[in-house]
Amino acid sequence: MRSRNRRYLKELAPASLSDMVMALGDPIIIFVLASLPNSTQSLAAFALGKGIAVFFESPIISVLPVSNLLSVAKKSREVLFRFVLTLGLILTLSMLLLSLLPELGWFMSVQSGVWEQASLMVLLLCPWPLMIALRRYWQGQILHAGYSADIAKGAILRCLVLIGVSFSITLVSTSSAIIVAGALLTGVLVELIYVRYRVRRFKPTDAGVDPALPTDMRTMGRYYWPLAQSMITLWGARLMLPILIAFLGELELAAWAAAWMLVISISNGVRMLQQLVIRHLQACPDNKRGIERRHLFRFSLLVGIGFSVTLGFIAFSSLGQSLMLLYVSGDTQLTHAMHPVLVVLLILPMLMAVQYYFMALLMLKNATNSIGKAAFVANLYMVVGVALIVWFHLPLYTIAIQVALAMLLEVVLLGGATKSRKLVTIQPRS
């Protein structure tokens, strides 16, 4: 058992480090924005602008696990590349069109200054979906080949570039839109170039064509759409949160943005569990797959608990409180508003770890429809609950409770779906 956990950890650590380092970009930008003259307005604009950008990114988030899964066959890889390129271009153009609609500011009930910065941010970030789509396509191939350390190196490079660019821009501009877009796009461009270079250094495998794998754009769309839909509903719901929270006030919106970015930065360390489960179960013989599944579940749970404990340290220790105060540039009012949200969301990394474990199993079962359905139900529950909370003007931490309950609901639905049929792993014939 210990040897298995060490083997899993050796593979997971670099990949998880990449996600955590990547997620550090938002807290770094929040730190920079918090130091600007009108910091509360800048943070509120960032919450809306980045939320919109991530919503348009959401359909291509699942490119990474799909690329990992389909890297065994050349034909499927080629079809996926065309699919990713097409989807990325459509999303980029759609984001450009949305940024040119001034009426959205009125719809979102935010101050004109906040929406002015947020809409400019969206306009400047319109290349984001295409760049992320291509990066995740090549990252999936790297993970399948077992070179997860290259993923971590790319993420570190991206983070360093983001830090340098964000602080450099503040020397010549105080526009939150220019700071955010300049830092994010430059960082991801450098990482994209790096991962493309690393892919060229190893020869991809080709296990031949198998009917279980998508081999044309139609079957690729049928397999991929439920995964895209699950991410659209997830990030659409998360986009709705700052829009709804804006009705509570500017301080509440800024506090939610800062607390949520911190929670997600740490929770992202569990996302690569999905790739670990896919890779090990896909390569595992049929007669040993049940044992491997149990070991992977225990390991996933331990990893989730570990990241929840990390969040607990930040929320309850004196050192954590000092770091949180530093994070928001000494704004004690913002820190006090953030703290209850952090306390409630301690459970999120553990729930996410189990969620990604179940999602990997369903992808291997070619049961992506179950993933889409679970995401739709859970996120609809979350948005309706948050809308009611805002309507009754309840405290900010009750929104965090609703988010945690929605995640728990999704985990239960995914777990039930994995038991609905026998696990038949997608495993192309040699």
Side-chain angles (χ1 to χ4, degrees):
M1 178 67 178
R2 289 181 181 177
S3 62
R4 280 180 186 268
N5 284 345
R6 281 196 295 268
R7 178 161 53 92
Y8 294 154
L9 186 60
K10 185 178 179 180
E11 185 177 332
L12 178 69
S16 290
L17 176 64
S18 72
D19 258 357
M20 292 182 68
V21 171
M22 177 187 71
L24 281 176
D26 285 346
I28 290 166
I29 289 175
I30 285 175
F31 175 79
V32 173
L33 296 181
S35 65
L36 297 179
N38 196 352
S39 60
T40 303
Q41 187 181 83
S42 295
L43 287 170
F46 176 65
L48 290 176
K50 182 64 188 301
I52 292 170
V54 171
F55 173 72
F56 278 92
E57 177 193 347
S58 62
I60 50 88
I61 287 176
S62 296
V63 167
L64 178 60
V66 173
S67 178
N68 180 8
L69 186 68
L70 302 184
S71 286
V72 293
K74 181 181 178 182
K75 176 67 174 176
S76 296
R77 282 198 307 270
E78 292 173 346
V79 172
L80 180 61
F81 180 75
R82 295 198 301 271
F83 184 83
V84 165
L85 194 61
T86 303
L87 184 59
L89 285 169
I90 291 172
L91 292 169
T92 287
L93 291 174
S94 301
M95 190 169 167
L96 175 62
L97 291 174
L98 181 74
S99 68
L100 302 177
L101 298 176
E103 295 82 4
L104 279 180
W106 172 83
F107 172 74
M108 295 180 181
S109 186
V110 295
Q111 295 179 3
S112 59
V114 172
W115 176 244
E116 183 180 338
Q117 292 184 56
S119 60
L120 178 58
M121 207 177 290
V122 174
L123 175 65
L124 296 175
L125 282 172
C126 64
W128 181 263
L130 178 59
M131 295 168 69
I132 294 294
L134 293 172
R135 187 207 69 181
R136 294 180 75 81
Y137 171 76
W138 286 315
Q139 282 182 324
Q141 294 184 17
I142 291 173
L143 285 172
H144 181 81
Y147 295 99
S148 57
D150 286 339
I151 303 292
K153 291 174 185 176
I156 292 171
L157 180 62
R158 171 182 172 180
C159 189
L160 292 174
V161 170
L162 183 145
I163 292 171
V165 171
S166 60
F167 280 100
S168 298
I169 294 176
T170 58
L171 299 177
V172 296
S173 175
T174 58
S175 169
S176 61
I178 294 175
I179 293 169
V180 170
L184 289 175
L185 290 179
T186 306
V188 78
L189 177 61
V190 170
E191 186 185 19
L192 174 62
I193 293 170
Y194 175 80
V195 296
R196 179 68 184 109
Y197 167 73
R198 297 306 297 177
V199 166
R200 292 171 64 93
R201 299 192 63 176
F202 63 84
K203 184 178 179 180
T205 59
D206 185 9
V209 178
D210 188 276
L213 296 172
T215 54
D216 55 43
M217 294 289 278
R218 183 176 59 84
T219 54
M220 183 66 70
R222 187 184 303 141
Y223 179 82
Y224 189 84
W225 167 244
L227 298 173
Q229 180 250 306
S230 72
M231 292 295 105
I232 290 170
T233 54
L234 171 64
W235 290 102
R238 290 181 179 179
L239 173 60
M240 285 299 298
L241 295 192
I243 293 173
L244 292 169
I245 293 169
F247 287 94
L248 296 178
E250 197 171 89
L251 174 63
E252 286 77 6
L253 179 57
W256 177 265
W260 180 252
M261 295 303 178
L262 182 60
V263 170
I264 286 297
S265 297
I266 293 172
S267 301
N268 269 0
V270 309
R271 290 203 310 175
M272 287 296 180
L273 285 167
Q274 185 180 15
Q275 317 312 320
L276 182 78
V277 175
I278 288 173
R279 187 168 185 271
H280 280 270
L281 288 182
Q282 194 173 41
C284 188
D286 290 345
N287 60 341
K288 296 182 179 179
R289 197 166 294 137
I291 297 173
E292 192 75 13
R293 277 182 64 183
R294 287 192 290 273
H295 284 301
L296 285 165
F297 177 76
R298 293 190 195 108
F299 179 76
S300 299
L301 195 58
L302 286 173
V303 169
I305 291 171
F307 281 106
S308 287
V309 169
T310 302
L311 266 179
F313 173 80
I314 293 174
F316 294 112
S317 71
S318 56
L319 177 58
Q321 294 293 310
S322 300
L323 291 173
M324 201 158 62
L325 197 60
L326 178 65
Y327 168 54
V328 293
S329 298
D331 191 331
T332 54
Q333 188 180 18
L334 195 58
T335 305
H336 289 150
M338 288 169 56
H339 186 261
V341 176
L342 287 178
V343 171
V344 172
L345 293 179
L346 291 178
I347 195 174
L348 207 64
M350 185 173 65
L351 292 175
M352 285 176 63
V354 179
Q355 174 198 23
Y356 282 113
Y357 168 81
F358 286 142
M359 287 175 67
L361 293 186
L362 291 168
M363 286 183 67
L364 287 163
K365 294 170 70 172
N366 210 351
T368 54
N369 281 328
S370 297
I371 297 174
K373 291 174 184 176
F376 177 79
V377 172
N379 290 299
L380 179 62
Y381 168 78
M382 178 170 69
V383 171
V384 171
V386 171
L388 289 173
I389 289 168
V390 171
W391 178 267
F392 289 107
H393 246 265
L394 298 179
L396 192 62
Y397 72 86
T398 58
I399 293 177
I401 293 174
Q402 185 67 14
V403 170
L405 288 174
M407 178 66 71
L408 179 61
L409 174 61
E410 185 172 358
V411 167
V412 171
L413 292 173
L414 290 171
T418 62
K419 300 180 188 301
S420 65
R421 68 182 92 168
K422 184 181 178 182
L423 178 67
V424 179
T425 306
I426 294 177
Q427 196 170 15
R429 302 178 185 90
S430 300

